[in-house]
Amino acid sequence: MACSLRWLKYERELISERTKAGIRAARRRGVHMGRPAELTPHQIEHARGLIASEKETRAGAAALLNVDVKTLRRAAIQYDLRRGADEKRSR
């Protein structure tokens, strides 16, 4: 019994090591991990244009995109952060 428990623990450690190695390799390749983005950069720019030109309110722009106002705001902030990081890399 003790031998089989040791074997199971060893197997669990091997699986964990392989999983962690796979995740590290995927990150090095630039694979996105996690939930997909709700809005594309094009949709965010479109919503910003509507809001800036005062053709739509924030709530109206969010409704056009079928998302909540909070989702639109959060996506815009993330977009700005990514775009700022990309600009720093290109310098």
Side-chain angles (χ1 to χ4, degrees):
M1 175 105 176
C3 184
S4 64
L5 290 177
R6 277 188 240 130
W7 177 255
L8 290 174
K9 183 179 177 183
Y10 173 73
E11 280 292 318
R12 187 172 47 241
E13 289 172 3
L14 280 178
I15 292 169
S16 177
E17 287 174 20
R18 284 190 215 121
T19 301
K20 289 176 184 176
I23 290 171
R24 283 192 303 269
R27 284 185 180 151
R28 280 193 302 270
R29 289 191 312 268
V31 174
H32 173 73
M33 307 288 268
R35 188 175 180 155
E38 188 77 22
L39 298 172
T40 65
H42 177 73
Q43 289 173 316
I44 295 168
E45 290 292 334
H46 179 66
R48 280 192 171 153
L50 291 172
I51 294 165
S53 67
E54 298 182 359
K55 291 181 181 176
E56 281 291 343
T57 62
R58 287 183 180 146
L64 286 172
L65 297 170
N66 291 326
V67 296
D68 191 76
V69 177
K70 290 179 183 180
T71 303
L72 179 59
R73 184 174 58 233
R74 200 175 322 124
I77 290 169
Q78 287 297 318
Y79 175 71
D80 289 342
L81 290 174
R82 270 189 244 115
R83 194 172 66 184
D86 290 342
E87 287 174 2
K88 284 182 183 178
R89 278 190 217 130
S90 65
R91 290 182 191 169

